[in-house]
Amino acid sequence: MTYTDQTKPDFTFIHMADTHLGLNWPAIGRYEKIQIPVYGKAFGAIVDAAIEKQVDFVIHAGDLVNRPRPPTAAWNRILQELPRLRKAGIPFVVTVGSHDKPESYFDRAGGDVLQLLDSRLDLAKRVDTDQNPFVNLRTRGGKKVAIYGLGDHGREQEESLQQLTKHMTQESDFSILVMHGSVSTISPLIGPTIKTEKISELLSKRYVDYVALGHNHKRWEHKDLHIYNPGSPEFTSFADAPTLDYVMEGSTLKEETRKVAEHGYYFVEVRGEILNAQYHHMLTRDVKNVQIRFNNATPSQVVEGTKQAIIKNASSSSIVRPLLKGTLHPSTSRSELDIREILSLRERMLFLEYPMVDLGGSQVEIESVQGSDFRQLINQYFKSRLGKPAEEITEITVKLVQLYSQKSKTTDQEALSLIDGWNTND
Ligand SMILES: [Mn+2]
């Protein structure tokens, strides 16, 4: 990168989030297909960029690790990458994400990973309202930058921001609010949320010049205000992935829409009053949802259409989730669907998720008959016993209940392959 005197920024930085080091998704069930390294590689690639561009600092908006007790592979990666930044003289400032936070009493007693990185290893500056709410940095060109941290505080998010604003001054040349959570205009809205007006006020009063979000895994930015969310550098679930939308008309498959999902980081240049946030896309794995809508289709048409749509989109490195929507022909039933036939495509790709079937209501029925959302109940119970892994266990339990509520000759087989697809998640 070459700048002229007119374009040379006062300083630059990188904003990333949601690296989820240590995650193994999807759990493929064969040990040589473990997915942990892709998250480490994505993190390493951003560190490479930071060093190559000689940015003044790097900010991470939370969820550095996937679990508060990360596996050794994640530690290995952290202790490989962060010293490279330190050696290059690039401070790494991070706030506390929902996944970095210890949940149990025993974990809390030892502090969190980010605390170890900060006070024990001097590899990061941890900013959050609970300890060090902000850090002041000096850029190479002598500019004074303040970075305020607001981790994940759940329902107390607004209150915590209120606390944080007490520390804010207009004395720095540039100020950043790094926050793990959403603002009210983000889409889709997830997790702890601050009203956009509150942020807008901080921006207009120049208490803050750049708002660095994390938590939502898809890229998003405010159209007028300097509020940016880079998304996760790699896919962490099918919810982060693009969706290809097909409709089956008779025996013809028609593509309707493509919903993209961007993944990467921001490279930000600041020069005087001018802020230029450039989005850099990452090379990710090939992950997608393939959604097919059927109208009064027979079970064999559904299987055929689904297979066609999957084959169109899958190579040996693809990770695919089929979503089957619409209605079955009234004289047929969900139990006649030969899901195994769809799953036989598994060999052709890296991972084929067990299809989500929403064809004329089996899933809806069971929930309304119970009179309550059984997913919620199961999740609550598992959470109280297990913490974070509860979500995955809930998912598989709900799928099994749904599967057995429509028992057929092939149900046991289907259940086995469903379990098989999940069985190596730690
Ligand atoms: Mn996250």
Side-chain angles (χ1 to χ4, degrees), residues 18 20 63 99 180 215 217:
D18 296 285
H20 286 260
D63 286 357
H99 286 251
H180 193 78
H215 192 52
H217 287 191

Side-chain angles (χ1 to χ4, degrees), residues 6-193:
Q6 275 76 43
T7 59
K8 194 179 183 330
D10 297 336
F11 62 92
T12 62
F13 65 93
I14 274 178
H15 163 206
M16 67 165 118
D18 296 285
T19 41
H20 286 260
L21 297 173
L23 176 60
N24 178 33
W25 182 86
I28 292 174
R30 279 163 287 174
Y31 291 110
E32 75 276 16
K33 298 276 171 75
I34 206 95
Q35 298 294 295
I36 289 176
V38 300
Y39 298 97
K41 278 181 192 153
F43 182 54
I46 304 177
V47 169
D48 285 346
I51 294 169
E52 192 209 302
K53 294 170 192 296
Q54 293 184 33
V55 297
D56 290 80
F57 54 91
V58 170
I59 46 181
H60 190 301
D63 286 357
L64 175 69
V65 290
N66 188 56
R67 298 263 163 85
R69 276 190 248 183
T72 311
W75 270 115
N76 198 10
R77 179 62 76 163
I78 290 169
L79 297 178
Q80 179 187 329
E81 303 298 343
L82 292 185
R84 295 172 59 215
L85 283 180
R86 186 171 59 185
K87 214 170 146 195
I90 302 171
F92 181 77
V93 183
V94 56
T95 196
V96 187
S98 37
H99 286 251
D100 305 311
K101 218 168 24 183
E103 293 197 321
S104 75
Y105 173 79
F106 292 104
D107 283 344
R108 280 203 301 274
D112 61 45
V113 170
L114 309 181
Q115 272 165 330
L116 296 182
L117 292 175
D118 185 333
S119 53
R120 295 275 177 211
L121 297 165
D122 198 25
L123 289 171
K125 303 260 181 229
R126 177 194 187 277
V127 283
D128 192 5
T129 49
D130 62 354
Q131 288 173 11
N132 300 314
F134 66 95
V135 63
N136 284 317
L137 300 177
R138 196 59 88 166
T139 67
R140 290 190 200 99
K143 297 284 180 197
K144 194 178 163 199
V145 177
I147 304 172
Y148 302 95
L150 184 61
D152 182 320
H153 295 269
R155 280 153 210 243
E156 275 102 61
Q157 198 75 352
E158 296 247 358
E159 255 175 74
S160 304
L161 178 64
Q162 208 57 45
Q163 299 261 322
L164 190 61
T165 52
K166 289 184 190 142
H167 299 280
M168 292 182 179
T169 65
Q170 290 146 318
E171 283 159 24
S172 306
D173 296 305
F174 195 82
S175 301
I176 297 172
L177 169 63
V178 51
M179 174 173 118
H180 193 78
S182 302
V183 293
S184 52
T185 40
I186 202 169
S187 164
L189 187 63
I190 49 162
T193 304

